[in-house]
Amino acid sequence: MAAIGLWPFTRDIAPSPTPSIAWPAPADPHFWRWVRSQFDIPKDESYFNTGTLGAVPRPVMETLAAHMREIEKTIARYDYRPEHPEYFAGYRKQEELRAKVATLLSATGPEIALTQNATMGTNFVANGLNLQPGDEVLMTDQEHVGNRGPWELREKRQGIVVRKLPIGTPPVDPDSFVRMFADAITPRTRAIDAPHITSKLGVVIPVARIAQLVCDKNNFFLVDGAQVIGQRRIDVKAIGCDAYTTSPHKWLLAPPGNGLLYVSAARHHELGPTLASGSWNDYVPGDGIFRLMRYRTGNLSLLVGLDAAVDFHQHIGTDRIADRVMELSNRLRDGLKKIDRARIYSPTHPEMTCGIVTWGLDGVKGADLMDGLWNRRKIRVRSVDEGMVRQSTHFYNTSEEVDATLEIARSL
């Protein structure tokens, strides 16, 4: 991103200074340790809760803070002219940023709406589709509440039918998902909403195979990708979904308050507005789903932070990050398998594993296990059930931190 300099600027987002970073060579054996040094997490603390909230890299935070300070220093110069920079989000198209983040989903800029989080994207789809009382929506029984709630609200108010399909803990194999959805689709089914990776257990669902079922029936298919962007590569065209909602504040490490919603260009006309403000019914050709972004005054600096987070991510590389995530999560899974009292509740099938490992110890409550890891070694995981903790391995974690987890598990 260009440095803040002379007034006026000529971009939708006022440029902000990106701190100069001397990146080590990719082959540097200390590369990941250097990456870890770009975060403000104390050296004696280990953060394994990216599935809830990612740690924001220092360069991204500095970029965001500099933009907020620049706004305050120059606020008297804001004159509403379209050729000058905006001072808040929710009005302009942000075409440059939308095109940039679209590359992370293999989509196009007009197919992307900038939202607050994945839940907002799900609400836009659940409330935007033209559904009638009795119409069915299929989902799994392990949906995150933010993905489940919008459909349940419409079920309560307008009489649609939400069917939750049981997937097991853990599910057996990818084929079981496909059979489950194939058997569940009826003539009343109008939409399917499935997570790409489930939040609680980290189950990778074969969404591309499910999309083929949906396409054959001409139903609307939404994928909840809150746990995916920043963790692994996404290709919405290859998946074949109609919409994909995700939360960059998790694995992409963007500041909280950022979300992305992809809607295939072929189905833009099927989504009516949910949040209404000026021009709420303005369907301008070429705008894509910009109308879903017109919810008025928002924090523009968060979008600047998102832009910087994408830069940080792309400098490392999506595939390299994905490999690192799996290297660490496999190390954790393999170690847990050697501990007699340990139970892995996440899948172990290679096609269904990711950076989320949900596990427990026989006879130990999840909250006690979470506290034990923190009290003994300042390892932060999240208790997600009576006897489970969820441990999310990201590239800022180390093999030593994983090994310390296993050592404590053995001692407990």
Side-chain angles (χ1 to χ4, degrees), residues 145-375:
V145 292
N147 196 51
R148 185 180 74 230
W151 298 106
E152 292 178 334
L153 175 61
R154 191 158 186 190
E155 179 180 43
K156 181 176 181 179
R157 287 183 173 177
Q158 298 177 325
I160 68 170
V161 178
V162 179
R163 295 175 57 201
K164 303 178 179 69
L165 311 180
I167 63 177
T169 306
V172 180
D173 55 54
D175 293 339
S176 64
F177 285 105
V178 181
R179 289 192 299 269
M180 178 182 69
F181 279 101
D183 294 342
I185 296 175
T186 75
R188 298 294 301 174
T189 305
R190 295 292 178 268
I192 293 178
D193 185 351
H196 196 166
I197 296 177
T198 65
S199 177
K200 181 179 177 181
L201 300 182
V203 182
V204 179
I205 293 181
V207 288
R209 296 176 62 186
I210 297 172
Q212 187 59 52
L213 295 173
V214 178
C215 180
D216 292 343
K217 302 292 185 180
N218 197 32
N219 292 313
F220 194 98
F221 186 29
L222 168 66
V223 176
D224 170 19
Q227 296 288 352
V228 186
I229 193 168
Q231 178 179 176
R232 56 175 56 195
R233 187 169 294 279
I234 304 171
D235 188 335
V236 291
K237 304 299 183 182
I239 293 173
C241 57
D242 299 303
Y244 194 103
T245 183
T246 189
S247 292
H249 67 260
K250 298 180 184 290
W251 300 83
L252 190 61
L253 313 183
N258 282 298
L260 302 175
L261 171 64
Y262 156 83
V263 180
S264 170
R267 309 206 73 158
H268 285 181
H269 65 284
E270 297 182 42
L271 288 186
T274 298
L275 294 177
S277 185
S279 304
W280 67 269
N281 201 32
D282 186 8
Y283 294 79
V284 178
D287 277 358
I289 52 172
F290 169 54
R291 66 181 181 276
L292 300 185
M293 295 167 48
R294 306 189 76 165
Y295 41 83
R296 298 312 186 189
T297 308
N299 188 340
L300 182 65
S301 298
L302 295 179
L303 298 185
V304 173
L306 171 61
D307 190 302
V310 174
D311 287 343
F312 193 88
H313 173 92
Q314 291 180 328
H315 200 111
I316 301 175
T318 299
D319 293 335
R320 189 176 190 190
I321 290 172
D323 290 344
R324 176 66 172 174
V325 167
M326 290 306 299
E327 174 191 343
L328 294 172
S329 68
N330 285 334
R331 188 183 188 97
L332 177 59
R333 271 185 291 270
D334 292 343
L336 290 170
K337 291 175 184 177
K338 299 175 183 177
I339 300 175
D340 289 340
R341 291 173 55 204
R343 298 290 176 264
I344 301 176
Y345 298 100
S346 295
T348 55
H349 190 291
E351 294 180 27
M352 302 169 67
T353 57
C354 67
I356 295 175
V357 182
T358 301
W359 60 282
L361 295 173
D362 290 344
V364 180
K365 294 182 179 180
D368 291 340
L369 179 53
M370 176 182 69
D371 292 342
L373 288 166
W374 178 256
N375 293 334

Side-chain angles (χ1 to χ4, degrees), residues 20 22 37 45 75 83 87 91 93 139 168 179 188 192 213 233 239 241 271 276-277 290 299 309 347 384 394 396:
S20 178
S37 73
E45 296 181 8
I75 195 167
E83 70 271 19
Y87 271 62
Y91 287 76
K93 296 180 183 180
M139 61 176 56
R179 289 192 299 269
R188 298 294 301 174
I192 293 178
L213 295 173
R233 187 169 294 279
I239 293 173
C241 57
L271 288 186
S277 185
F290 169 54
N299 188 340
V384 292
H394 207 6
Y396 45 58

